[in-house]
Amino acid sequence: MTRTLSEWSEAAAAVDAPSQLFIDGEHVDALSGERFAAVNPATGETITEVALGGAADIDAAVDSARTAFEDGRWANLAPRDRGQVLIKLAGCIEDNAEELQLLETLDVGKPIRYSRRVDVAQTVNTYAWYGEAADKLYGEIAPTGPHALGMITKEPIGVVGAVTPWNFPMMMNSWKLAPALMAGNSVVLKPAEQSPLTALRIGELALEAGIPPGVLNVVPGYGETAGRALGRHPFVDGITFTGSTEVGKLFLEYSAKSNMKRVSAETGGKTPNIIFADAPDLDFAIGAVGFSIFWNTGEMCIAGSRLLVERPIYDQVVERVGEVADSWAPGNPLDPATKAGPVVDDAQLQKIIGYIERGTEEGARLVVGGSRTLTETGGYFVEPTVFADVRNDMTIAREEIFGPVLSIIPFDTQQEALEIANDTRYGLSAAVWTSNLARAHTMAAGLRAGTVWINNFDTSDITVPFGGYKESGFGGKDKSLHALDKYTHTKTTWINLGRGGV
Ligand code: NAD
């Protein structure tokens, strides 16, 4: 059903947002009794006060997850049965799609036209995909000879702590929870403090779908307290993290200082989007540039924040990207016509404005945008912003802004493009636009990035792994069957076949 702005506004006014922690299958207040405001970034108004999880609540959640894991209520189910429950969860999410769509839009300002089509749809697909895969994986027998049998099997690691960001809350959570649960683990999820609402609701739906109490716990709270407590907990066996590089490194430290738990981190990016003069369809490429940096208000780890353009088409591309930027002007996220909403909160707004000022101070040329906008709404809106004549050593080209700010950098040769592209501490993704097949392959091989798009941007699918090189990622990938490596141990069992040993 397609709703109008006024219908969505009415639904928003009546929304019943979840507000308690979800531990051991129960809704509970924080042990401290404290709460924090879930704020709508489009208005600055409080949606609801959510229980503020702290270290003691994390303890309770880990206890519950540990008990659930040890007694096998989930881990010892047949894989097919776990898979059926995940498929049922996908169905429950679909049945409650409109509510989840609205909660996501209110919590993080995501345009309503995308929160169903992208976030809910991808979340449903992820749970269903892992559910379907659950009973289709086999162990191995090693080719060791006749005297003994070497069996190689996969086992769940135990209690997984998932710590996640706010830019695609429901979807990123599903990339963690679905494979972790499929493999038989119990999970404690600490969503970002900016985006607790859909995480709490999915916890409830998981119980409804048949995931036993204690197997999935959801504890919203601040990173420095609840996140840290999970990272340092001695009975957590693994952390799956998505967020900034700085916090990803902290989890390595937490692990080192506690029980050497395994850590996987999907972290920041500064994606080079490289357009050669022989790009096969420049109109399409320029449209994709707009999408790459202005969609989701640029709050994307893969945002194409550095646009490298070959000199002969440089002026033309700068002008046309400036025009495209105007089509991404932000608006009310509840309006189905809106393509870009606010940024997530005031801190993010100030950070982005600070980078824009720095860009001008360091000599980049501001082509369009550059200011806060729609201040009368009380929300945190930023104009789509384009800088040209950027050098790769400027702050706006080096640091992750995580906002709608594009830096355009000219280049003269393929080698120079490759050097600029790789001259970054990040390595999440890269894109190349060219009709030269040899150049496409050479660039793809030379780019130090986990994903390379040739003549497209942000094509993605649950069947392919996602994750970065360098300081964009550590310890495994999200999505696809490769994600299971993060949530399983590989066990070797030797069986003596009674022929005198090996
Ligand atoms: P963040 O690192 O500030 O927060 C991520 C999570 O870590 C949140 O749940 C937060 O509460 C928690 N956290 C914060 N400080 C902590 C601490 N001291 N100890 C323990 N936990 C702590 O990141 P963010 O602002 O939520 O998200 C933006 C970042 O996420 C960007 O850098 C972006 O590139 C990255 N990101 C990466 C991917 C990817 O797949 N590579 C995807 C989305 C976002």
Side-chain angles (χ1 to χ4, degrees):
M1 184 178 84
T2 316
R3 293 190 181 209
T4 62
L5 169 60
S6 67
E7 286 166 345
W8 277 119
S9 303
E10 237 173 74
V15 79
D16 181 18
S19 61
Q20 285 182 297
L21 313 180
F22 187 71
I23 298 177
D24 209 29
E26 307 276 345
H27 298 104
V28 293
D29 284 328
L31 289 163
S32 67
E34 286 182 79
R35 295 187 157 268
F36 71 108
V39 173
N40 177 350
T43 61
E45 286 164 5
T46 297
I47 307 160
T48 185
E49 297 274 340
V50 177
L52 178 66
D57 305 292
I58 291 289
D59 276 348
V62 173
D63 270 359
S64 161
R66 172 60 53 196
T67 305
F69 182 70
E70 300 296 345
D71 72 17
R73 70 187 79 163
W74 177 249
N76 289 350
L77 291 185
R80 172 175 307 204
D81 294 337
R82 284 202 301 271
Q84 289 303 321
V85 173
L86 291 178
I87 291 168
K88 187 153 178 223
L89 172 56
C92 291
I93 294 170
E94 183 71 59
D95 291 346
N96 292 276
E98 206 162 271
E99 179 199 355
L100 289 161
Q101 169 187 23
L102 181 59
L103 286 176
E104 201 80 314
T105 287
L106 291 176
D107 215 9
V108 296
K110 202 172 278 280
I112 201 82
R113 67 192 278 173
Y114 298 125
S115 49
R116 173 75 173 265
R117 209 162 79 201
V118 177
D119 300 79
V120 174
Q122 293 301 321
T123 301
V124 168
N125 185 43
T126 301
Y127 285 108
W129 192 82
Y130 282 101
E132 286 158 7
D135 61 350
K136 294 171 186 66
L137 301 175
Y138 294 77
E140 298 167 48
I141 302 291
T144 54
H147 303 298
L149 195 64
M151 293 196 316
I152 303 165
T153 49
K154 296 282 186 186
E155 294 185 337
I157 61 171
V159 175
V160 171
V163 180
T164 53
W166 42 261
N167 59 336
F168 291 90
M170 206 175 354
M171 189 173 99
M172 298 261 154
N173 289 339
S174 72
W175 291 0
K176 310 289 192 197
L177 302 190
L181 292 169
M182 170 197 152
N185 297 283
S186 296
V187 181
V188 177
L189 167 65
K190 197 221 70 74
E193 48 271 47
Q194 295 88 344
S195 57
L197 301 183
T198 50
L200 289 169
R201 188 70 183 104
I202 297 251
E204 292 172 348
L205 292 176
L207 187 69
E208 199 178 307
I211 292 185
V215 172
L216 173 59
N217 304 275
V218 186
V219 185
Y222 297 133
E224 296 74 15
T225 48
R228 183 173 185 275
L230 199 53
R232 292 187 64 121
H233 205 291
F235 301 132
V236 170
D237 302 289
I239 287 286
T240 176
F241 170 79
T242 296
S244 61
T245 295
E246 287 61 37
V247 176
K249 289 180 182 179
L250 284 180
F251 276 97
L252 298 177
E253 202 178 305
Y254 299 153
S255 168
K257 290 188 173 152
S258 56
N259 59 343
M260 220 168 150
K261 60 177 66 62
R262 106 182 6 189
V263 173
S264 64
E266 297 297 343
T267 51
K270 198 72 195 171
T271 292
N273 189 7
I274 307 164
I275 308 189
F276 286 93
D278 64 0
D281 180 346
L282 197 56
D283 290 341
F284 181 67
I286 286 171
V289 168
F291 172 84
S292 80
I293 187 67
F294 302 128
W295 187 63
N296 215 50
T297 1
E299 294 171 323
M300 289 188 291
C301 49
I302 52 96
S305 52
R306 290 186 299 149
L307 180 64
L308 278 53
V309 185
E310 197 171 8
R311 193 84 63 180
I313 56 167
Y314 180 74
D315 290 337
Q316 181 196 358
V317 169
V318 169
E319 191 186 328
R320 291 179 63 190
V321 168
E323 289 161 14
V324 164
D326 291 338
S327 72
W328 288 91
N332 184 346
L334 288 174
D335 185 341
T338 294
K339 280 166 64 184
V343 298
V344 78
D345 60 14
D346 189 48
Q348 189 64 16
L349 174 77
Q350 299 310 331
K351 185 180 144 198
I352 294 166
I353 296 293
Y355 276 117
I356 292 172
E357 287 168 2
R358 194 81 185 268
T360 309
E361 280 160 24
E362 292 183 6
R365 173 163 61 93
L366 184 64
V367 179
V368 291
S371 303
R372 181 176 184 174
T373 183
L374 302 176
T375 39
E376 70 284 1
T377 59
Y380 316 116
F381 294 90
V382 185
E383 291 173 335
T385 297
V386 176
F387 280 106
D389 307 344
V390 176
R391 287 191 325 270
N392 202 47
D393 62 355
M394 290 178 180
T395 307
I396 53 171
R398 300 214 77 73
E399 296 184 14
E400 186 183 38
I401 299 173
F402 223 57
V405 181
L406 179 66
S407 295
I408 312 186
I409 304 173
F411 70 86
D412 289 300
T413 65
Q414 181 175 325
Q415 183 57 28
E416 188 191 3
L418 193 58
E419 281 169 17
I420 296 172
N422 283 338
D423 177 17
T424 169
R425 70 176 174 137
Y426 295 113
L428 189 57
S429 52
V432 178
W433 301 82
T434 180
S435 28
N436 179 327
L437 188 61
R439 168 181 281 160
H441 277 286
T442 311
M443 290 295 290
L447 286 161
R448 301 282 300 145
T451 298
V452 177
W453 294 288
I454 304 291
N455 297 330
N456 66 98
F457 196 98
D458 196 19
T459 307
S460 73
D461 195 82
I462 192 65
T463 56
V464 295
F466 177 76
Y469 288 12
K470 301 200 282 189
E471 294 187 41
S472 288
F474 178 89
K477 305 285 181 190
D478 279 336
K479 301 171 70 182
S480 80
L481 296 179
H482 292 275
L484 293 165
D485 293 343
K486 304 206 283 200
Y487 308 111
T488 51
H489 282 306
T490 303
K491 177 175 272 183
T492 300
T493 306
W494 283 107
I495 314 270
N496 184 345
L497 296 181
R499 297 184 198 173
V502 281

